[in-house]
Amino acid sequence: MNTPPTTHDTEECSKRTLQEPMSPHEPKRQRTSHNAPIQDTTMTDYAAVDTTTPSSGRMLSDMEDVQPEEEEGILLALDSPDIQAALDACKILVIGAGGLGCEILKNLALTGFKEIHVIDMDTIDVSNLNRQFLFRPKDVGHPKATVAAEFVMQRVPGVKIIPYFGKIQDKDDEYYSQFQIVVCGLDSIEARRWINAKLVEMVDEDDPQSLKPLIDGGTEGFKGQARVILPTINSCYECSLDMFNKATTFPICTIANTPRLPEHCIEWASVLEWPRVWGKEKKYDTDNPEHISWLYQAALDRAQKFNISGVTYSLTQGVVKNIIPAIASTNAIIAASCCNEVFKIATGSPYLDNYMMYTGNDAIYTYTFQHQKKPECPVCGNIASSAELDPKMTLEDLIESLKERPDVQLKRPSLRTATKSLYMQAPPALEEATRPNLEKTLDALIEAGEYITVTDVALPVSIQLKVTWK
């Protein structure tokens, strides 16, 4: 965040204004900074990363856009040929076409980027229309990515937006390697973890073009954040997982026997009734309308039995997906911040290093800081986590303690060593074979110094734990 000019700076600026009037023939300065450049410690130089691309022209490097005028604090106009060439050469991938995604697509198109791809697996619901402004009532039931792309292309001539209606996991490395920058406007932690791990995995030290900057935005009510991730260089998404609040849970005894809230009925339907009816192996899909409808009806029947009101389809969707009501103004602010960082990177300008938090509950407040990279991060780190364990604790207790860790956020972890499987969640035959180990103590299963490999449906990669005894 830039420091305001001092009194001395203001006086000097006034003197120059009086003593050196602009000539009527002098070109008008389109945008200027303070009269003296101020070093911003929240930014960093992009010189270390080559942003050229042999197939589609090239973006500006940090050396090419330095003009003599910039020594006086003058910035290039947005419509300058050099900047426009950089935007033309930059192919952007936007993941998510919801509240944030609509804003991001609109901003990028109006900024001047010419080729944008967008991925979203959702269809438009009536509840989206109050804030996702690219959609109209006639679009309900249609893919968000397709409708958003068509709307923006109609309103912004010259931009090409290529939609994909499906999951990000459907695409391979070749698909992601065609982009210079990836922007996320997702409401799913799992999807963010996956794309973060994918971009880290794609980095080849011998090929600078394999590094794809990831700009991630997220909102929660009146709060939001924007960040710049350079895979393998700075803190990745997984490094900051412990900053996110764990989803609210309810005691099983309450939802099973004495429900008092509509949320209790919905949890009962999703946690207890679904596996009883459909089996433990079949998991409901929070993006499948048929599954949500089934959970809603089951929760509604449960609520009526206990005279509880308030169970709705949208609440059911919100509980099972842990959705916080979205606010259009927050989406607009965070999307603007994300697109500003995209523009800076594309044009070789200093960019955010690396995390900006925004709150608008009582007043407008932002805070920028550098989130540190974790050496033990399972995605971008290079050392195993050390786990100091009680040798007499059971394997089941260890699994439960791993579920409680905010830095990994596991759901159904499977554990194994280099020589044997300790407990595997699937397939059913292997789960049944390893189930007796749950009641055994750790010292009966592993030795100090051994490594436990942890895998989970929520994890894009595995975790290595080096065991030491307390």
Coordinates of all heavy atoms in Angstrom, one line a residue, residues 334-407:
I334 N -13.1 -7.8 -5.0 CA -12.1 -8.9 -5.1 C -11.8 -9.2 -6.5 O -10.6 -9.4 -6.9 CB -12.5 -10.1 -4.3 CG1 -12.7 -9.8 -2.8 CG2 -11.6 -11.3 -4.5 CD1 -11.5 -9.3 -2.2
A335 N -12.8 -9.2 -7.4 CA -12.5 -9.4 -8.8 C -11.7 -8.3 -9.4 O -10.8 -8.6 -10.2 CB -13.8 -9.6 -9.6
A336 N -11.9 -7.1 -9.0 CA -11.1 -6.0 -9.5 C -9.7 -6.1 -9.1 O -8.7 -5.9 -9.9 CB -11.7 -4.7 -9.0
S337 N -9.5 -6.6 -7.9 CA -8.1 -6.8 -7.4 C -7.4 -7.9 -8.2 O -6.2 -7.7 -8.6 CB -8.1 -7.1 -5.9 OG -6.8 -7.4 -5.4
C338 N -8.1 -9.0 -8.4 CA -7.5 -10.1 -9.1 C -7.1 -9.7 -10.6 O -6.0 -10.0 -11.0 CB -8.5 -11.3 -9.2 SG -8.8 -12.1 -7.6
C339 N -8.0 -9.0 -11.2 CA -7.8 -8.6 -12.6 C -6.7 -7.5 -12.7 O -5.9 -7.5 -13.7 CB -9.1 -8.0 -13.2 SG -10.3 -9.3 -13.4
N340 N -6.6 -6.7 -11.7 CA -5.5 -5.7 -11.6 C -4.1 -6.5 -11.6 O -3.2 -6.1 -12.2 CB -5.6 -4.8 -10.4 CG -4.7 -3.6 -10.4 OD1 -4.4 -3.1 -11.5 ND2 -4.3 -3.2 -9.2
E341 N -4.1 -7.6 -10.8 CA -2.8 -8.4 -10.7 C -2.5 -9.1 -12.1 O -1.4 -9.2 -12.5 CB -2.9 -9.4 -9.6 CG -3.1 -8.8 -8.2 CD -2.0 -7.7 -7.9 OE1 -0.8 -7.9 -8.3 OE2 -2.4 -6.7 -7.3
V342 N -3.6 -9.5 -12.7 CA -3.4 -10.1 -14.1 C -2.8 -9.1 -15.0 O -1.8 -9.4 -15.8 CB -4.8 -10.6 -14.6 CG1 -4.6 -11.2 -16.0 CG2 -5.3 -11.8 -13.7
F343 N -3.3 -7.9 -15.0 CA -2.8 -6.9 -15.9 C -1.4 -6.5 -15.6 O -0.5 -6.4 -16.5 CB -3.7 -5.6 -15.8 CG -3.2 -4.4 -16.6 CD1 -3.5 -4.4 -17.9 CD2 -2.5 -3.4 -16.0 CE1 -3.0 -3.3 -18.7 CE2 -2.0 -2.4 -16.8 CZ -2.3 -2.3 -18.1
K344 N -1.0 -6.5 -14.3 CA 0.3 -6.1 -13.9 C 1.3 -7.2 -14.4 O 2.4 -6.9 -14.9 CB 0.4 -5.9 -12.4 CG -0.2 -4.7 -11.9 CD 0.2 -4.4 -10.4 CE -0.9 -4.8 -9.5 NZ -0.6 -4.5 -8.1
I345 N 0.9 -8.5 -14.2 CA 1.8 -9.5 -14.6 C 2.0 -9.6 -16.1 O 3.1 -9.8 -16.7 CB 1.3 -10.9 -14.1 CG1 1.5 -10.9 -12.5 CG2 2.1 -12.1 -14.7 CD1 0.9 -12.2 -11.9
A346 N 0.9 -9.4 -16.8 CA 0.9 -9.5 -18.3 C 1.7 -8.4 -18.9 O 2.3 -8.5 -20.0 CB -0.5 -9.4 -18.8
T347 N 1.8 -7.2 -18.2 CA 2.5 -6.1 -18.8 C 3.9 -5.9 -18.1 O 4.5 -4.9 -18.3 CB 1.7 -4.8 -18.6 OG1 1.4 -4.6 -17.2 CG2 0.4 -4.8 -19.4
G348 N 4.3 -6.8 -17.3 CA 5.7 -6.8 -16.7 C 5.8 -5.8 -15.6 O 6.9 -5.2 -15.3
S349 N 4.7 -5.4 -14.9 CA 4.7 -4.4 -13.9 C 4.9 -5.1 -12.5 O 4.6 -6.3 -12.4 CB 3.4 -3.6 -13.9 OG 3.2 -3.0 -15.1
P350 N 5.3 -4.4 -11.5 CA 5.4 -4.9 -10.1 C 4.1 -5.4 -9.7 O 3.1 -4.7 -9.9 CB 6.0 -3.8 -9.3 CG 6.6 -2.9 -10.2 CD 5.9 -3.0 -11.5
Y351 N 4.0 -6.5 -9.0 CA 2.7 -7.1 -8.7 C 2.7 -7.5 -7.2 O 3.7 -7.4 -6.5 CB 2.5 -8.4 -9.5 CG 3.5 -9.4 -9.3 CD1 3.4 -10.4 -8.4 CD2 4.7 -9.4 -10.0 CE1 4.3 -11.4 -8.2 CE2 5.7 -10.3 -9.9 CZ 5.5 -11.3 -8.9 OH 6.5 -12.3 -8.7
L352 N 1.5 -7.9 -6.7 CA 1.3 -8.2 -5.3 C 2.1 -9.3 -4.8 O 2.2 -10.3 -5.4 CB -0.2 -8.5 -5.1 CG -0.7 -8.9 -3.7 CD1 -0.7 -7.7 -2.8 CD2 -2.1 -9.5 -3.8
D353 N 2.7 -9.1 -3.6 CA 3.6 -10.1 -3.0 C 3.1 -10.3 -1.6 O 3.7 -9.7 -0.7 CB 5.0 -9.7 -3.1 CG 6.0 -10.8 -2.5 OD1 5.6 -11.9 -2.4 OD2 7.1 -10.4 -2.1
N354 N 2.2 -11.2 -1.3 CA 1.5 -12.0 -2.2 C 0.1 -12.2 -1.8 O -0.7 -13.0 -2.5 CB 2.2 -13.4 -2.4 CG 2.4 -14.1 -1.0 OD1 1.8 -13.8 0.0 ND2 3.4 -14.9 -0.9
Y355 N -0.4 -11.5 -0.7 CA -1.7 -11.8 -0.2 C -2.4 -10.5 0.2 O -1.8 -9.7 1.0 CB -1.6 -12.7 1.0 CG -2.8 -13.6 1.4 CD1 -2.7 -15.0 1.3 CD2 -3.9 -13.0 1.8 CE1 -3.8 -15.8 1.6 CE2 -5.0 -13.8 2.2 CZ -5.0 -15.2 2.1 OH -6.0 -16.0 2.4
M356 N -3.6 -10.3 -0.2 CA -4.4 -9.1 0.2 C -5.7 -9.6 0.8 O -6.4 -10.3 0.2 CB -4.7 -8.2 -1.0 CG -5.4 -6.9 -0.6 SD -7.1 -7.0 -0.4 CE -7.7 -7.2 -2.1
M357 N -5.9 -9.1 2.0 CA -7.2 -9.4 2.7 C -8.1 -8.2 2.8 O -7.6 -7.1 3.0 CB -6.9 -9.9 4.1 CG -6.1 -11.2 4.2 SD -5.8 -11.8 5.9 CE -7.5 -12.3 6.3
Y358 N -9.4 -8.4 2.6 CA -10.3 -7.3 2.6 C -11.5 -7.6 3.5 O -12.0 -8.8 3.6 CB -10.9 -7.1 1.2 CG -12.2 -6.3 1.1 CD1 -12.2 -4.9 1.2 CD2 -13.4 -6.9 1.1 CE1 -13.3 -4.2 1.1 CE2 -14.6 -6.2 1.0 CZ -14.5 -4.8 1.1 OH -15.7 -4.1 1.0
T359 N -11.9 -6.6 4.3 CA -13.1 -6.8 5.2 C -13.9 -5.5 5.0 O -13.4 -4.4 4.9 CB -12.7 -6.9 6.7 OG1 -12.0 -5.8 7.1 CG2 -11.9 -8.2 6.9
G360 N -15.2 -5.7 4.9 CA -16.2 -4.6 4.7 C -17.3 -4.7 5.7 O -18.4 -4.1 5.4
N361 N -17.2 -5.4 6.8 CA -18.3 -5.5 7.7 C -18.7 -4.2 8.3 O -19.9 -3.8 8.3 CB -17.8 -6.5 8.9 CG -17.5 -7.9 8.4 OD1 -16.6 -8.0 7.6 ND2 -18.2 -8.9 8.9
D362 N -17.8 -3.5 9.0 CA -18.1 -2.2 9.6 C -17.5 -1.0 8.9 O -18.0 0.1 9.0 CB -17.6 -2.2 11.0 CG -18.1 -3.4 11.9 OD1 -19.3 -3.6 11.8 OD2 -17.3 -4.1 12.5
A363 N -16.4 -1.2 8.1 CA -15.8 -0.2 7.3 C -15.0 -0.9 6.3 O -14.8 -2.1 6.3 CB -14.9 0.7 8.2
I364 N -14.4 -0.2 5.3 CA -13.6 -0.8 4.3 C -12.2 -0.8 4.7 O -11.6 0.2 5.0 CB -13.8 0.0 2.9 CG1 -15.2 -0.1 2.4 CG2 -12.8 -0.5 1.9 CD1 -15.5 0.6 1.2
Y365 N -11.6 -2.0 4.8 CA -10.3 -2.2 5.3 C -9.5 -3.3 4.5 O -10.1 -4.3 4.2 CB -10.3 -2.6 6.8 CG -8.9 -3.0 7.4 CD1 -8.0 -2.0 7.7 CD2 -8.6 -4.3 7.5 CE1 -6.8 -2.3 8.2 CE2 -7.3 -4.6 8.1 CZ -6.4 -3.6 8.4 OH -5.2 -3.9 8.9
T366 N -8.3 -3.0 4.1 CA -7.5 -4.0 3.4 C -6.1 -4.1 4.1 O -5.6 -3.2 4.7 CB -7.2 -3.6 1.9 OG1 -6.5 -2.4 1.9 CG2 -8.5 -3.5 1.2
Y367 N -5.6 -5.3 4.0 CA -4.3 -5.6 4.7 C -3.5 -6.5 3.7 O -4.0 -7.5 3.3 CB -4.5 -6.2 6.0 CG -3.2 -6.6 6.7 CD1 -2.2 -5.7 7.0 CD2 -2.8 -8.0 6.9 CE1 -1.0 -6.0 7.6 CE2 -1.6 -8.3 7.5 CZ -0.7 -7.4 7.9 OH 0.5 -7.7 8.4
T368 N -2.3 -6.0 3.4 CA -1.5 -6.8 2.5 C -0.2 -7.3 3.2 O 0.4 -6.6 4.0 CB -1.0 -5.9 1.3 OG1 -2.1 -5.4 0.6 CG2 -0.2 -6.7 0.3
F369 N 0.1 -8.6 3.0 CA 1.2 -9.2 3.6 C 1.8 -10.3 2.8 O 1.2 -10.7 1.8 CB 0.9 -9.7 5.0 CG -0.1 -10.9 5.0 CD1 0.3 -12.2 5.1 CD2 -1.5 -10.7 4.9 CE1 -0.5 -13.3 5.0 CE2 -2.4 -11.7 4.8 CZ -1.9 -13.0 4.9
Q370 N 3.0 -10.7 3.1 CA 3.7 -11.8 2.4 C 3.5 -13.1 3.2 O 4.1 -13.3 4.2 CB 5.1 -11.5 2.2 CG 5.9 -12.5 1.4 CD 7.4 -12.3 1.3 OE1 8.1 -12.4 2.3 NE2 7.8 -11.9 0.1
H371 N 2.6 -14.0 2.6 CA 2.5 -15.3 3.3 C 3.7 -16.1 3.0 O 4.1 -16.3 1.8 CB 1.2 -15.9 2.8 CG 0.8 -17.1 3.6 ND1 1.4 -18.4 3.5 CD2 -0.1 -17.2 4.6 CE1 0.8 -19.2 4.3 NE2 -0.1 -18.5 5.0
Q372 N 4.2 -16.7 4.0 CA 5.5 -17.5 3.9 C 5.3 -18.9 3.3 O 4.3 -19.5 3.7 CB 6.2 -17.5 5.2 CG 6.6 -16.2 5.8 CD 7.6 -15.5 4.9 OE1 8.6 -16.1 4.4 NE2 7.3 -14.2 4.6
K373 N 6.2 -19.3 2.5 CA 6.1 -20.7 2.0 C 6.5 -21.6 3.1 O 7.4 -21.4 3.9 CB 7.1 -20.8 0.8 CG 7.1 -22.1 0.1 CD 8.1 -22.0 -1.1 CE 8.1 -23.3 -1.9 NZ 9.0 -23.3 -3.0
K374 N 5.8 -22.8 3.2 CA 6.1 -23.8 4.2 C 7.0 -24.9 3.6 O 6.7 -25.5 2.7 CB 4.8 -24.4 4.7 CG 3.9 -23.5 5.5 CD 2.7 -24.3 6.1 CE 1.9 -23.4 7.0 NZ 0.7 -24.1 7.5
P375 N 8.2 -25.1 4.3 CA 9.1 -26.1 3.8 C 8.4 -27.5 3.8 O 8.7 -28.4 3.0 CB 10.3 -26.0 4.7 CG 10.2 -24.7 5.3 CD 8.7 -24.3 5.4
E376 N 7.5 -27.7 4.8 CA 6.9 -29.0 4.9 C 5.5 -29.1 4.1 O 4.8 -30.1 4.3 CB 6.6 -29.3 6.4 CG 5.5 -28.5 7.1 CD 6.0 -27.2 7.5 OE1 7.1 -26.8 7.2 OE2 5.2 -26.5 8.3
C377 N 5.2 -28.1 3.3 CA 4.0 -28.2 2.5 C 3.9 -29.4 1.7 O 4.9 -29.7 1.0 CB 3.9 -26.9 1.6 SG 2.5 -27.0 0.5
P378 N 2.8 -30.2 1.7 CA 2.8 -31.4 0.9 C 2.8 -31.2 -0.6 O 3.1 -32.1 -1.4 CB 1.5 -32.1 1.4 CG 0.7 -30.9 1.9 CD 1.6 -30.0 2.5
V379 N 2.5 -30.0 -1.0 CA 2.4 -29.7 -2.5 C 3.7 -29.1 -3.0 O 4.3 -29.5 -3.9 CB 1.2 -28.8 -2.8 CG1 1.3 -28.3 -4.3 CG2 -0.1 -29.5 -2.5
C380 N 4.2 -28.0 -2.4 CA 5.4 -27.3 -2.9 C 6.6 -27.4 -2.0 O 7.7 -26.9 -2.3 CB 5.1 -25.8 -3.1 SG 4.8 -24.9 -1.6
G381 N 6.4 -28.1 -0.8 CA 7.6 -28.2 0.1 C 8.5 -29.4 -0.3 O 8.2 -30.2 -1.2
N382 N 9.6 -29.4 0.4 CA 10.6 -30.5 0.1 C 11.0 -31.3 1.3 O 12.0 -32.1 1.2 CB 11.8 -29.9 -0.6 CG 12.4 -28.7 0.2 OD1 12.1 -28.6 1.4 ND2 13.2 -27.9 -0.4
I383 N 10.3 -31.2 2.4 CA 10.7 -32.0 3.6 C 9.4 -32.6 4.1 O 8.3 -32.0 3.9 CB 11.4 -31.2 4.7 CG1 10.5 -30.1 5.2 CG2 12.7 -30.6 4.2 CD1 11.0 -29.4 6.5
A384 N 9.5 -33.7 4.8 CA 8.3 -34.4 5.3 C 8.0 -33.8 6.7 O 8.8 -33.2 7.4 CB 8.6 -35.9 5.5
S385 N 6.7 -33.8 7.0 CA 6.2 -33.3 8.3 C 6.6 -34.3 9.4 O 6.6 -35.5 9.2 CB 4.7 -33.1 8.3 OG 4.3 -32.2 7.3
S386 N 7.0 -33.7 10.5 CA 7.3 -34.6 11.6 C 6.1 -34.7 12.5 O 5.5 -33.7 12.9 CB 8.5 -34.0 12.4 OG 8.8 -34.8 13.5
A387 N 5.8 -35.9 12.9 CA 4.6 -36.2 13.8 C 5.1 -36.9 15.1 O 5.6 -38.0 15.0 CB 3.6 -37.1 13.0
E388 N 5.0 -36.1 16.2 CA 5.3 -36.7 17.5 C 4.1 -37.3 18.1 O 3.1 -36.7 18.4 CB 5.8 -35.6 18.4 CG 6.5 -36.1 19.7 CD 7.0 -35.0 20.6 OE1 6.6 -33.9 20.4 OE2 7.8 -35.3 21.4
L389 N 4.1 -38.7 18.2 CA 2.9 -39.4 18.5 C 3.1 -40.2 19.8 O 4.2 -40.6 20.1 CB 2.5 -40.4 17.4 CG 2.3 -39.7 16.0 CD1 2.1 -40.8 14.9 CD2 1.2 -38.7 16.0
D390 N 1.9 -40.5 20.4 CA 1.9 -41.4 21.6 C 1.9 -42.8 21.1 O 1.0 -43.2 20.4 CB 0.7 -41.1 22.4 CG 0.6 -41.9 23.7 OD1 1.4 -42.8 23.8 OD2 -0.4 -41.7 24.5
P391 N 2.9 -43.6 21.4 CA 2.9 -45.0 20.9 C 1.7 -45.8 21.3 O 1.4 -46.8 20.6 CB 4.3 -45.5 21.4 CG 4.6 -44.7 22.6 CD 4.0 -43.3 22.3
K392 N 1.0 -45.4 22.4 CA -0.1 -46.2 22.9 C -1.4 -45.7 22.3 O -2.5 -46.3 22.6 CB -0.1 -46.2 24.4 CG 1.1 -46.9 25.0 CD 1.3 -48.3 24.5 CE 2.5 -49.0 25.1 NZ 2.7 -50.3 24.6
M393 N -1.4 -44.7 21.5 CA -2.7 -44.3 20.9 C -3.1 -45.3 19.8 O -2.2 -45.9 19.2 CB -2.6 -42.9 20.4 CG -1.9 -42.7 19.1 SD -1.7 -41.0 18.5 CE -3.4 -40.4 18.4
T394 N -4.3 -45.4 19.6 CA -4.8 -46.4 18.5 C -4.7 -45.7 17.1 O -4.6 -44.5 17.0 CB -6.2 -46.9 18.8 OG1 -7.1 -45.7 18.6 CG2 -6.3 -47.5 20.1
L395 N -4.7 -46.5 16.1 CA -4.7 -46.0 14.8 C -5.9 -45.2 14.5 O -5.9 -44.2 13.8 CB -4.6 -47.2 13.8 CG -4.5 -46.8 12.3 CD1 -3.2 -46.0 12.0 CD2 -4.5 -48.0 11.4
E396 N -7.1 -45.6 15.0 CA -8.3 -44.9 14.9 C -8.2 -43.5 15.5 O -8.6 -42.5 14.9 CB -9.5 -45.6 15.5 CG -10.8 -45.0 15.2 CD -12.0 -45.8 15.7 OE1 -11.8 -46.8 16.5 OE2 -13.1 -45.6 15.2
D397 N -7.5 -43.4 16.6 CA -7.3 -42.1 17.3 C -6.4 -41.2 16.4 O -6.6 -40.0 16.3 CB -6.7 -42.2 18.7 CG -7.6 -42.9 19.7 OD1 -8.9 -42.7 19.4 OD2 -7.2 -43.4 20.7
L398 N -5.4 -41.8 15.8 CA -4.5 -41.0 14.9 C -5.3 -40.5 13.7 O -5.1 -39.3 13.3 CB -3.4 -41.9 14.4 CG -2.5 -41.3 13.3 CD1 -1.8 -40.0 13.9 CD2 -1.4 -42.3 12.9
I399 N -6.2 -41.3 13.1 CA -7.0 -40.9 12.0 C -7.9 -39.7 12.4 O -8.0 -38.7 11.7 CB -7.7 -42.0 11.4 CG1 -6.8 -43.0 10.8 CG2 -8.8 -41.5 10.4 CD1 -7.5 -44.3 10.3
E400 N -8.5 -39.8 13.5 CA -9.4 -38.7 14.0 C -8.6 -37.4 14.3 O -9.1 -36.3 14.0 CB -10.1 -39.2 15.3 CG -11.2 -40.2 15.0 CD -12.2 -39.8 14.0 OE1 -12.7 -38.6 14.1 OE2 -12.6 -40.6 13.1
S401 N -7.4 -37.6 14.8 CA -6.6 -36.4 15.0 C -6.1 -35.7 13.7 O -6.0 -34.5 13.7 CB -5.4 -36.7 15.9 OG -4.4 -37.5 15.2
L402 N -5.9 -36.5 12.7 CA -5.5 -36.0 11.4 C -6.7 -35.2 10.8 O -6.5 -34.2 10.2 CB -5.1 -37.1 10.5 CG -3.8 -37.7 10.7 CD1 -3.5 -38.9 9.8 CD2 -2.6 -36.7 10.6
K403 N -7.9 -35.7 11.0 CA -9.1 -35.0 10.5 C -9.3 -33.6 11.1 O -9.9 -32.7 10.6 CB -10.4 -35.8 10.8 CG -10.5 -37.1 9.9 CD -11.8 -37.8 10.3 CE -11.9 -39.1 9.5 NZ -13.2 -39.8 9.8
E404 N -8.8 -33.5 12.4 CA -8.9 -32.2 13.1 C -7.9 -31.2 12.7 O -8.0 -30.0 13.1 CB -8.9 -32.5 14.6 CG -10.0 -33.3 15.1 CD -11.4 -32.6 14.9 OE1 -11.4 -31.4 15.1 OE2 -12.3 -33.3 14.6
R405 N -6.8 -31.6 12.0 CA -5.7 -30.7 11.7 C -6.2 -29.7 10.7 O -6.6 -30.0 9.6 CB -4.5 -31.4 11.2 CG -3.7 -32.1 12.3 CD -2.5 -32.8 11.7 NE -1.6 -32.0 10.9 CZ -0.5 -32.4 10.4 NH1 0.0 -33.6 10.7 NH2 0.2 -31.6 9.6
P406 N -6.1 -28.4 11.0 CA -6.6 -27.3 10.0 C -5.7 -27.2 8.8 O -6.1 -26.6 7.8 CB -6.6 -26.1 10.9 CG -5.6 -26.3 11.9 CD -5.7 -27.7 12.2
D407 N -4.4 -27.6 8.9 CA -3.5 -27.4 7.8 C -3.6 -28.4 6.7 O -2.9 -28.3 5.7 CB -2.0 -27.3 8.4 CG -1.7 -28.6 9.1 OD1 -2.5 -29.3 9.6 OD2 -0.5 -29.0 9.1

